[in-house]
Amino acid sequence: MPPELLSEELTDEPSDFGSLRPGTRLGRYELLLPIARGGMARVWAARQHGTRGFQKLVAIKTILPHLADEPEFERMFLDEARIASGVHHPNVCEIYELGEERRTLYLAMEWVNGDSFSRALRASGKTEACDYGIAARVIADACAGAHAAHELEDDDGRKLNVVHRDLSPHNILINWDGFTKVCDFGVAKALNQLHEHTQAGQLKGKISYMSPEQVTGDPVDRRSDVFSLGCVLYEATTGTRPFRGEGDHNVMQAIVNGELQPPSTFVRSYPRDLERIVLRALGNVPNQRFASAEHMRFALEEFLAKGPLVTQSHVATLIRSRLGAML
């Protein structure tokens, strides 16, 4: 699967393809198959054509046709290209280039031969927790990718203060070999971004994984992403989301009020060291959390060092056992 899974909705809506079809050429890329669709964009499997018969499988992201003429969505698309293309890290999906063909803007991206952490957790149709060590390994690697984005600088060495704002199981990809990749910077926040700042009452991202300050529209920094990663770790190890309620409003209220039950409430044998990490990441106030995703990664690596060895091959075993037939 490609580095985009903005929703569970996939390929059954040809009406939103616009002029794009399998076989369409965008520059040196040939569209092969629509793979995923989200709120703003569709992603295609594509073949890159080079000289002397060179070919390479890539993912191509395009704005949905009915949004293509909206300046705000174009600016968000350009922001994603500008931010994500500057991050070069093994745990971040690589952006190859931004192109435009026949008035169609597109991003050419790394093809990830795997699927989202979301699908791995929900392979049976309901959320199923995974082994503590495997979950810690995946989130530690996601922390490394997030930290690389947080540390991004401009050409003058000035921090861009990137905040992903949409770190969820959908945007953490795991390939066939068990390597984790953070993807989708479509709603990322950065210094001097082109698109408008989020207006009052407008939320960008997936509510269940938002920090309190993101929900209330207050300023966010990298610790907001730490909170989101804490939500994913909680869900991956308990099989339930940390903040629940009937409808988005009640979920947001639970997040803002810090209505959180410790993981050991659901799993009596939950490791105490891991629970401390989860609860610290989910601190209601940013100062209560890890100062950075890197600090959270250090804590997870220390937890992993105390138990049986957990490597990418163990993560791969999970992916193959849960998603092997589909992949």
Side-chain angles (χ1 to χ4, degrees):
M1 298 293 287
E4 292 294 328
L5 277 176
L6 304 180
S7 74
E8 298 297 332
E9 188 176 6
L10 292 181
T11 62
D12 296 328
E13 295 198 16
S15 61
D16 65 30
F17 291 176
S19 62
L20 303 180
R21 294 290 185 276
T24 299
R25 291 290 291 260
L26 295 176
R28 52 182 175 161
Y29 305 101
E30 176 190 0
L31 302 183
L32 301 177
L33 186 72
I35 295 298
R37 178 188 183 279
M40 181 180 77
R42 174 170 287 284
V43 179
W44 300 74
R47 181 184 292 117
Q48 176 186 336
H49 293 275
T51 59
R52 297 181 179 269
F54 173 82
Q55 295 184 356
K56 181 178 182 178
L57 192 63
V58 300
I60 295 291
K61 179 177 181 180
T62 59
I63 302 178
L64 294 175
H66 67 281
L67 301 177
D69 294 327
E70 295 288 338
E72 170 68 1
F73 288 98
E74 179 175 308
R75 286 193 289 265
M76 288 176 65
F77 199 78
L78 294 174
D79 271 336
E80 177 177 6
R82 183 174 65 92
I83 295 169
S85 64
V87 185
H88 304 288
H89 190 276
N91 296 117
V92 176
C93 289
E94 189 81 10
I95 299 291
Y96 297 141
E97 69 170 309
L98 170 71
E100 186 171 10
E101 185 81 12
R102 290 179 293 182
R103 298 184 63 190
T104 298
L105 277 173
Y106 65 88
L107 280 176
M109 305 179 292
E110 174 185 5
W111 176 265
V112 177
N113 185 30
D115 213 322
S116 70
F117 198 26
S118 174
R119 291 194 183 278
L121 293 175
R122 302 181 179 99
S124 67
K126 62 179 182 179
T127 304
E128 292 185 285
C130 59
D131 176 83
Y132 300 122
I134 290 177
R137 175 78 276 147
V138 169
I139 299 305
D141 291 348
C143 283
H147 183 69
H150 296 159
E151 290 291 296
L152 188 64
E153 299 177 346
D154 64 15
D155 293 339
D156 297 321
R158 182 177 55 162
K159 283 278 196 305
L160 289 176
N161 299 324
V162 171
V163 185
H164 189 288
R165 295 202 301 175
D166 197 15
L167 285 174
S168 70
H170 305 76
N171 294 329
I172 297 174
L173 300 188
I174 306 173
N175 71 14
W176 187 250
D177 296 318
F179 284 85
T180 298
K181 303 268 186 179
V182 172
C183 68
D184 187 12
F185 287 79
V187 298
K189 173 185 177 295
L191 188 66
N192 295 331
Q193 59 192 26
L194 297 173
H195 74 269
E196 301 293 332
H197 290 282
T198 303
Q199 298 173 357
Q202 180 186 14
L203 291 175
K204 295 180 179 180
K206 296 177 185 66
I207 290 171
S208 295
Y209 307 95
M210 288 183 179
S211 66
E213 59 271 24
Q214 187 175 355
V215 168
T216 57
D218 291 330
V220 298
D221 59 27
R222 62 178 67 194
R223 293 169 297 180
S224 179
D225 285 344
V226 166
F227 186 95
S228 298
L229 289 168
C231 290
V232 179
L233 182 57
Y234 187 111
E235 181 178 2
T237 51
T238 66
T240 186
R241 293 176 180 175
F243 303 99
R244 297 171 300 282
E246 292 295 328
D248 289 347
H249 176 75
N250 288 330
V251 173
M252 289 188 289
Q253 190 173 42
I255 292 172
V256 172
N257 294 336
E259 297 171 5
L260 173 69
Q261 292 180 299
S264 56
T265 303
F266 301 98
V267 186
R268 288 188 176 182
S269 60
Y270 202 94
R272 290 185 179 180
D273 288 348
L274 186 58
E275 183 168 77
R276 280 193 286 268
I277 293 171
V278 171
L279 294 179
R280 183 173 178 186
L282 293 177
N284 193 249
V285 178
N287 285 340
Q288 296 173 343
R289 302 172 204 151
F290 294 99
S292 68
E294 184 82 329
H295 283 83
M296 183 175 175
R297 182 178 73 84
F298 292 158
L300 288 168
E301 296 289 2
E302 185 176 347
F303 165 75
L304 287 166
K306 294 177 181 177
L309 179 67
V310 181
T311 68
Q312 277 75 22
S313 65
H314 295 92
V315 179
T317 299
L318 171 75
I319 294 299
R320 297 180 188 205
S321 65
R322 294 194 179 187
L323 300 173
M326 182 177 68
L327 292 179

